[in-house]
Amino acid sequence: MAAHNELGQKGEDRAVEFLSAKGFKILCRNWHFRHKEVDIVALDAGVLVFVEVKTRSAFSSPNDVISYSKVRFLEEAAEAYIRQYNFQGEARFDVVLLTKKAGSFDIMHIPAAFR
């Protein structure tokens, strides 16, 4: 596995631990819609949360890590997930941004990051 893939996998694992510790119920990881995936789908106090995880080796601004096209894809994937599982309730999009630092990660959780 390439180094950037390993870093991304470690970041996703850490994001799951972080969200679980905050009380999120992880429903699935790497949910596929067409040829793309949603990193984490979870419940937070009954709210369905689609989580995009971004892991970097150096600090990045949250505004620099999610493109408009990625936002559109996540919205489409969320609609597909909601239809497939017939979810009736509120949903939102969170971003978890991890920056590798001396063997650990700094974590920035941005609830309701967009729409």
Side-chain angles (χ1 to χ4, degrees), residues 61-111:
S61 166
N63 294 332
D64 295 336
V65 297
I66 307 288
S67 67
Y68 175 77
S69 60
K70 183 66 174 185
V71 169
R72 282 298 311 136
F73 167 75
L74 288 169
E75 290 171 342
E76 291 173 19
E79 289 171 6
Y81 185 95
I82 289 166
R83 278 192 310 274
Q84 181 175 334
Y85 293 98
N86 195 30
F87 181 78
Q88 304 292 316
E90 185 180 343
R92 73 171 194 249
F93 299 93
D94 288 10
V95 172
V96 175
L97 178 60
L98 298 103
T99 305
K100 185 154 178 51
K101 227 175 195 180
S104 66
F105 291 99
D106 284 343
I107 301 174
M108 180 185 298
H109 177 211
I110 306 165

Side-chain angles (χ1 to χ4, degrees), residues 11-29 39-45 49-53 92 94-98 107-111:
E12 281 188 24
D13 292 345
R14 185 63 187 100
V16 165
E17 293 170 9
F18 174 82
L19 293 171
S20 294
K22 288 183 77 170
F24 284 59
K25 179 181 178 190
I26 307 302
L27 300 177
C28 63
R29 292 178 65 174
D39 296 326
I40 301 169
V41 181
L43 281 174
D44 178 26
V49 184
F50 297 91
V51 183
E52 177 67 11
V53 178
R92 73 171 194 249
D94 288 10
V95 172
V96 175
L97 178 60
L98 298 103
I107 301 174
M108 180 185 298
H109 177 211
I110 306 165

